[in-house]
Amino acid sequence: MRDVASDIRFDPADNAWWLDRLDNAYFFGDDFAAANDLDARVACATSERVRATAQRMFDPKNYELFVLKPAAPSAVTLPPPNQNVVRDPP
């Protein structure tokens, strides 16, 4: 599993972000400290738990599969490459 914790960014000086976190903890009756323990929250997302949740939430008899194909190969134009894109090392 990729290191998700290093991808999460927020500004601790952003009062609106913290106010929203406090509001949600109060509204839902959550423990604020436990809800904001990032390492514990990421550790909870095991592949077994994700699989179990997907099996509960997604019914394989109740979905649609769509395949999108281009109208014609000559009609496809790609935008110029973005030089500012950050990619993971190979």
Side-chain angles (χ1 to χ4, degrees):
M1 185 170 173
R2 200 167 49 97
D3 184 13
V4 178
S6 67
D7 289 345
I8 298 175
R9 306 274 188 263
F10 66 91
D11 183 4
D14 182 7
N15 289 333
W17 187 88
W18 284 109
L19 182 60
D20 184 54
R21 299 294 296 169
L22 283 167
D23 185 49
N24 283 339
Y26 176 77
F27 182 78
F28 293 108
D30 295 335
D31 177 10
F32 179 76
N36 289 291
D37 183 0
L38 185 58
D39 293 331
R41 304 291 284 182
V42 170
C44 285
T46 64
S47 59
E48 293 82 18
R49 292 183 82 170
V50 171
R51 185 177 299 111
T53 301
Q55 288 174 345
R56 269 196 333 269
M57 302 296 289
F58 303 116
D59 182 1
K61 296 179 282 182
N62 189 23
Y63 75 96
E64 296 290 331
L65 175 66
F66 296 92
V67 178
L68 301 177
K69 296 181 180 181
S74 62
V76 175
T77 57
L78 298 175
N82 185 349
Q83 301 300 322
N84 297 326
V85 174
V86 177
R87 293 188 170 83
D88 291 331

